[in-house]
Amino acid sequence: MAAIREKEEKLKELKLKQKEELATLEAELNQLKLNSKDAHKIALKTPKGTRDFSPKQMAIRKVLFRTIEKCFERHGAETISTPLFELKEVLTGKYGEDSKLIYDLSDQGGELCSLRYDLTVPFARYLAMNKIQKIKRYHIAPVYRRDNPSITRGRYREFFQCDYDVAGYDSRIADAECIRIVSEILSAVDVGSFIIKINNRKILDGMFEISGVPTEKFREISSAVDKLDKMSWEEVRKEMTDEKGLDGKVADSIGDFVKLKGGLDLISHLEGVVKETGNNSLLVGVNEMRAIIELCHEYNVTDKILFDLSLARGLDYYTGVIYEAVLTDDKVGVGSVAGGGRYDNLVGMFHPKGKQIPCVGVSIGIERLFSILEAKAKGNVRTTATDVYVASAQKGLSKHRIALCSNLWDAGIGAETAYSENPKLLNQLQHCEVNDIPLVIIIGESELQQGIVKIRDTNSREEVDVSRENMIETINKKLNQKRG
């Protein structure tokens, strides 16, 4: 034991010494870079697949985020937050072929970490770590993928996801509610007509079994099927046979299935296939999908769904129903704008005793929705919450303007004034028009002597004199009228 402790202490000492040496070298290197003649040649650009957002863009995003949050909250969800990066082993092996897109970080402090790829796997880890049996949660946060970015299609390496998940319930009611949530959000943000494609991993597995796909190839063939929204069947078939080694007849059998779309009529057709083949996976999946489609009628979203056997969703962790929302009159070419499904086995991968917790969820594609709303935005977009601008008509009144701002802030009213000591009145009024500030308080020597302020409506340019005592009440009334 003493020898072991001695070795452990020696190892700890060497690690500490190495850490100190690395820190010293890094500091010296950074200093050399700063002193270098080429330091000023730094490329002024954001990294590939990322971007800055202007105040106008952020104003649009803020409205979009709040619309989504309100929907999640209306359905009873509470919010959580998880770290931007996870231990690499937490993320490894959860995404199938997409695992190659995970961003790995340099070793810091003896832990191998990676930037989170989505919000679902961290949520599963959170459930297992905290021994949570049931929760309905939402999480809005950035995720990272080492993908080939396509700015025009809303595909980035850093982007936000807006996730809603129900954990602890193996319920078709929860499955159908996720479809309702997608429908509510897409209707509320007004991005045009859309359809929510639905399918079931159990049906896909049943299709593969009936077609003769080897069990060990289910997930990679599923990943190939998932490309049918971007590639023709001929191209997908070629990938199955040439790259994944599938027999041509097996691929053709899959092709007969994935061309089918519909609703309860397709359910009836598949029930006939079950009678012919006796396939249990297909039977369970078809029964689940019948229940979900019938519930969608009660949720009043029947006209928004399409049962589509070509929908596969490439991630490995899905176990049951899967969803994907696409715009049907999309002129921007952004592709799917929401997706998700049931993942009943993911939490068990982290739980110390392998305890499974059934989960279902959906993720809204905020960046793709934003690209549409940004293209549609016209006219001025308010970028601040300023409701009142305090202006002066004469010089030397900056302290009086500041005092009025303080009064407004104390009353909870958004206000601002010029930082200049002696601003021109015309410039102040133009600032209000450009920034869509609804009301202006104007003061001069005359108003100060009379104990009044002049309140101006920016749009109508109507002005009214009001006593200082009635100023807050009058402003609140005018603002409430404007807000309807």
Side-chain angles (χ1 to χ4, degrees):
M1 292 297 292
I4 292 174
R5 281 197 297 271
E6 182 182 347
K7 294 293 185 184
E8 287 177 342
E9 289 298 322
K10 182 68 174 176
L11 182 60
K12 189 184 295 184
E13 183 182 331
L14 286 171
K15 282 184 176 180
L16 181 60
K17 184 177 180 182
Q18 185 183 44
K19 186 176 180 180
E20 290 173 348
E21 289 177 352
L22 284 171
T24 301
L25 282 171
E26 188 173 14
E28 290 174 353
L29 178 59
N30 289 335
Q31 190 59 49
L32 285 171
K33 287 180 178 179
L34 286 172
N35 295 336
S36 170
K37 293 180 181 179
D38 294 329
H40 68 283
K41 294 183 179 179
I42 295 172
L44 290 176
K45 62 183 289 293
T46 60
K48 186 187 297 183
T50 67
R51 57 177 171 167
D52 298 321
F53 293 99
S54 69
K56 179 179 176 179
Q57 291 173 317
M58 286 304 298
I60 298 171
R61 288 172 72 83
K62 185 177 179 180
V63 172
L64 183 53
F65 279 129
R66 191 62 195 128
T67 300
I68 294 170
E69 281 182 344
K70 283 181 178 178
C71 180
F72 291 161
E73 291 166 356
R74 188 163 58 244
H75 285 262
E78 51 195 341
T79 190
I80 69 166
S81 181
T82 59
L84 195 65
F85 51 90
E86 297 274 348
L87 294 177
K88 184 176 180 179
E89 60 191 273
V90 167
L91 304 181
T92 301
K94 310 300 188 301
Y95 303 107
E97 291 185 2
D98 283 356
S99 291
K100 64 182 180 292
L101 303 180
I102 294 174
Y103 262 115
D104 291 332
L105 301 177
S106 299
D107 179 17
Q108 297 285 344
E111 291 183 337
L112 294 176
C113 298
S114 300
L115 293 176
R116 61 187 175 203
Y117 177 89
D118 67 1
L119 300 177
T120 305
V121 170
F123 175 55
R125 188 266 307 154
Y126 173 86
L127 293 177
M129 193 175 86
N130 293 284
K131 299 180 174 61
I132 295 171
Q133 302 296 313
K134 288 180 170 63
I135 189 174
K136 188 188 296 185
R137 82 85 166 93
Y138 74 89
H139 189 184
I140 298 177
V143 298
Y144 298 84
R145 297 184 183 179
R146 195 166 49 84
D147 203 351
N148 289 322
S150 175
I151 307 303
T152 56
R153 290 180 58 84
R155 185 185 295 275
Y156 297 89
R157 287 180 168 180
E158 178 193 57
F159 58 95
F160 271 76
Q161 283 191 336
C162 305
D163 281 19
Y164 168 94
D165 292 84
V166 179
Y169 300 91
D170 184 10
S171 165
R172 305 295 75 77
I173 296 175
D175 294 344
E177 186 178 21
C178 285
I179 297 172
R180 166 74 193 204
I181 285 169
V182 173
S183 179
E184 282 185 26
I185 290 171
L186 295 183
S187 298
V189 298
D190 190 25
V191 290
S193 59
F194 59 90
I195 198 74
I196 304 169
K197 297 180 182 180
I198 59 174
N199 198 6
N200 195 300
R201 273 292 175 84
K202 292 165 187 171
I203 289 177
L204 282 168
D205 288 350
M207 285 165 33
F208 295 155
E209 287 176 5
I210 292 168
S211 298
V213 178
T215 305
E216 66 274 11
K217 287 184 177 288
F218 276 14
R219 292 288 71 88
E220 59 179 309
I221 296 303
S222 182
S223 293
V225 171
D226 187 49
K227 298 173 183 176
L228 281 169
D229 62 335
K230 306 179 188 71
M231 297 164 55
S232 67
W233 165 248
E234 289 71 23
E235 291 173 305
V236 171
R237 184 188 186 280
K238 183 177 177 63
E239 179 180 326
M240 288 179 178
T241 55
D242 294 2
E243 296 179 27
K244 302 186 185 299
L246 204 62
D247 183 88
K249 292 182 179 179
V250 174
D252 291 336
S253 177
I254 295 171
D256 292 337
F257 277 111
V258 298
K259 294 171 185 175
L260 301 175
K261 299 175 176 60
L264 289 176
D265 57 329
L266 181 52
I267 291 290
S268 298
H269 172 74
L270 292 176
E271 285 171 341
V273 176
V274 170
K275 287 181 181 179
E276 291 177 12
T277 63
N279 186 275
N280 186 65
S281 180
L282 187 62
L283 172 64
V284 174
V286 168
N287 288 340
E288 288 183 2
M289 292 304 290
R290 175 175 282 281
I292 290 170
I293 291 173
E294 289 175 351
L295 284 167
C296 282
H297 176 74
E298 305 305 323
Y299 277 120
N300 199 28
V301 290
T302 305
D303 61 326
K304 300 297 184 184
I305 62 171
L306 175 67
F307 183 18
D308 185 344
L309 294 190
S310 70
L311 178 64
R313 302 289 294 168
L315 302 179
D316 276 4
Y317 53 62
Y318 290 125
T319 57
V321 64
I322 48 178
Y323 328 93
E324 187 163 282
V326 294
L327 304 182
T328 54
D329 58 356
D330 178 19
K331 296 179 177 61
V332 184
V334 298
S336 67
V337 291
R342 178 161 286 279
Y343 51 101
D344 290 343
N345 300 331
L346 187 56
V347 178
M349 294 182 182
F350 302 112
H351 198 282
K353 296 182 180 179
K355 181 178 175 61
Q356 303 290 1
I357 296 178
C359 298
V360 64
V362 67
S363 181
I364 308 299
I366 186 81
E367 308 301 345
R368 294 179 173 183
L369 293 178
F370 169 72
S371 65
I372 296 169
L373 295 180
E374 184 184 19
K376 291 173 64 175
K378 295 177 181 177
N380 288 338
V381 174
R382 289 201 69 188
T383 58
T384 74
T386 303
D387 287 321
V388 181
Y389 191 91
V390 181
S392 56
Q394 294 161 327
K395 295 181 179 181
L397 301 180
S398 60
K399 290 183 179 179
H400 296 284
R401 288 189 283 114
I402 291 168
L404 280 170
C405 279
S406 294
N407 294 153
L408 294 167
W409 293 330
D410 290 342
I413 297 171
E416 62 175 305
T417 190
Y419 289 125
S420 173
E421 289 287 338
N422 299 305
K424 293 181 179 179
L425 181 58
L426 181 60
N427 291 344
Q428 295 171 86
L429 297 179
Q430 286 178 340
H431 174 84
C432 296
E433 291 181 0
V434 169
N435 292 281
D436 201 20
I437 299 172
L439 298 177
V440 190
I441 288 178
I442 303 174
I443 57 170
E445 293 291 352
S446 175
E447 284 78 15
L448 292 174
Q449 289 172 8
Q450 296 177 61
I452 64 171
V453 296
K454 194 180 296 294
I455 300 178
R456 176 187 173 98
D457 186 299
T458 301
N459 289 331
S460 69
R461 301 188 179 182
E462 293 178 356
E463 296 179 353
V464 20
D465 291 341
V466 178
S467 67
R468 293 287 290 268
E469 291 77 13
N470 295 328
M471 178 184 71
I472 299 297
E473 181 183 355
T474 303
I475 286 172
N476 279 325
K477 282 182 180 179
K478 287 182 175 292
L479 290 175
N480 287 334
Q481 288 172 357
K482 287 182 174 294
R483 291 164 185 157

